[in-house]
Amino acid sequence: MSATARKTSPLPDDIRSMKGGTPIVSLTAYTTPMAQMMDGICDFVLVGDSVGMVLHGLPSTLGVTMQMMQMHGRAVARGLERSMLVIDMPFGSYEESPEQAFRNAAKLMRETGCAAVKLEGGTHMADTIAFLVARGVPVMAHIGLTPQSINTLGGYKVQGRDGTADRLRADARAVSEAGAFSVVLEKVHAGLAGEITQAIPIPTIGIGASPDCDGQILVVDDMLGLFTAFKPKFVKRFASLGEDVQAAINAYADEVRARRFPAAEHTFSDKAPG
Ligand code: KIV
C-alpha cells in the first residue's frame, strides 16, 4: 500500500479542521470488502445514494430508500475502523420538516454507527441543518448539482453558469452558517468552486469542481471502471476493472463449455487429504 494510512477514525470536527491543509480524500463505498480496502486511506467514506444507480440498476437516485441506506450503511460500517463513515439521506427522508430529518438521521446513526449524514440542498435546507446539528447530528451539506433535484434542475448541467453563481455562493454561506462541518460541491465550474472554497470556513469536497477544493470525492465504481453505463467528464478511471471482470466471466464460460474447468487441481479424489 503506497498511500499513508490513518491510525484512528477522524470525527466530523477533525474533518472540519482539515480546511486549507492536505486535501481530504474520500470515496463512496457500498459493501464491506470495498470499505476494508479504503479503511485508513480515505479520511471519510460515504455511503452515497449513488448506490441506487451503481448497484441496484435504478435510473436515478430518486428510488433509493431508507432501508437501502441502512443495509449498505451497516455493510460499510463493518469494514471501517480508521475512516469516518458518512451516510446519505435518501430522497424524501428529510425535506418535509426538520423533525422528519432528525427522525431519519437518528435512525441512520443508530442502525449503522455512522458519524454524520449528508443531505442535498443549500439555503432552503439551512434551518434543517441547524436543527440537526443542535441535536447532535453532524451534517455534511451537498450543493451545486444535487441529483435528487434533477427533475427541477433541468438535467445534469454544470452549475454556477448562466447567472446561478450568486445562488451557489448564498447556498455555501447558508450551509456553513447553519453548522454543516463540510460541504460537497458537485459539478460547479472550477473558478466558482475555488472562490467558494476561499470564502467559507468549512472544507469543500469537490466532485467535478476544482483541485482548489479542500478535498475530493468520487463514486468508487466510476473510478475503478466498474460502472460503465456512462462516464461524466469529471470521472478519472484509475483502473478498468469492468473490462477485467467481463474477460474473466467470458473465460470461465468458455472453459466450462469446453470441460477445461474444473481441472484436476480443483477436484477431490476419494483419498484423504484433500
Ligand atoms: O451519492 C453519491 O455518491 C454522492 C457523491 C457523488 C458525492 O453524493
Side-chain angles (χ1 to χ4, degrees):
M1 183 196 311
S2 61
T4 317
R6 283 187 163 275
K7 295 202 169 36
T8 55
S9 174
L11 295 168
D13 273 351
D14 300 319
I15 299 291
R16 186 200 300 267
S17 70
M18 292 174 78
K19 174 83 190 171
T22 304
I24 297 163
V25 176
S26 57
L27 284 169
T28 68
Y30 319 108
T31 63
T32 307
M34 202 62 94
Q36 283 167 333
M37 284 190 259
M38 298 171 190
D39 191 29
I41 298 170
C42 289
D43 297 301
F44 73 87
V45 172
L46 171 72
V47 182
D49 60 354
S50 49
V51 68
M53 298 172 75
V54 169
L55 290 196
H56 293 267
L58 295 174
S60 74
T61 56
L62 297 176
V64 175
T65 62
M66 278 291 290
Q67 285 77 9
M68 288 160 78
M69 299 313 294
Q70 286 169 83
M71 183 182 74
H72 290 284
R74 282 193 296 264
V76 170
R78 283 181 213 116
L80 296 182
E81 286 176 0
R82 294 165 294 149
S83 299
M84 189 178 87
L85 174 60
V86 182
I87 300 194
D88 256 346
M89 300 199 70
F91 179 62
S93 72
Y94 60 95
E95 302 89 332
E96 205 176 308
S97 65
E99 289 78 6
Q100 181 212 22
F102 180 77
R103 216 169 22 254
N104 285 318
K107 193 177 284 179
L108 288 175
M109 292 178 82
R110 191 168 54 238
E111 300 263 327
T112 68
C114 66
V117 298
K118 176 166 83 59
L119 57 80
E120 294 184 5
T123 312
H124 68 287
M125 290 310 299
D127 288 348
T128 296
I129 293 172
F131 188 91
L132 293 179
V133 173
R135 287 158 181 77
V137 180
V139 177
M140 177 177 287
H142 182 160
I143 64 170
L145 179 72
T146 45
Q148 294 175 9
S149 307
I150 203 62
N151 293 324
T152 49
L153 275 180
Y156 293 89
K157 291 188 291 215
V158 175
Q159 303 293 302
R161 295 177 178 157
D162 309 326
T164 57
D166 278 345
R167 183 180 49 73
L168 265 178
R169 290 184 187 102
D171 283 343
R173 261 196 320 274
V175 299
S176 169
E177 284 165 9
F181 71 91
S182 63
V183 57
V184 169
L185 302 183
E186 180 163 351
K187 214 165 174 181
V188 174
H189 74 75
L192 183 60
E195 183 201 315
I196 287 173
T197 299
Q198 290 300 315
I200 60 173
I202 58 171
T204 56
I205 311 295
I207 174 163
S210 159
D212 292 334
C213 289
D214 298 296
Q216 301 293 328
I217 187 163
L218 281 177
V219 169
V220 68
D221 290 57
D222 283 341
M223 58 85 78
L224 291 178
L226 273 170
F227 182 77
T228 54
F230 54 88
K231 184 182 121 27
K233 177 180 177 186
F234 59 77
V235 169
K236 175 173 175 180
R237 288 200 179 135
F238 287 80
S240 306
L241 296 195
E243 287 169 23
D244 291 350
V245 170
Q246 191 62 68
I249 291 169
N250 293 348
Y252 166 74
D254 288 347
E255 291 197 18
V256 168
R257 293 197 174 106
R259 296 194 191 282
R260 286 200 307 276
F261 178 83
E265 68 263 33
H266 307 119
T267 57
F268 304 94
S269 77
D270 58 353
K271 309 263 189 309

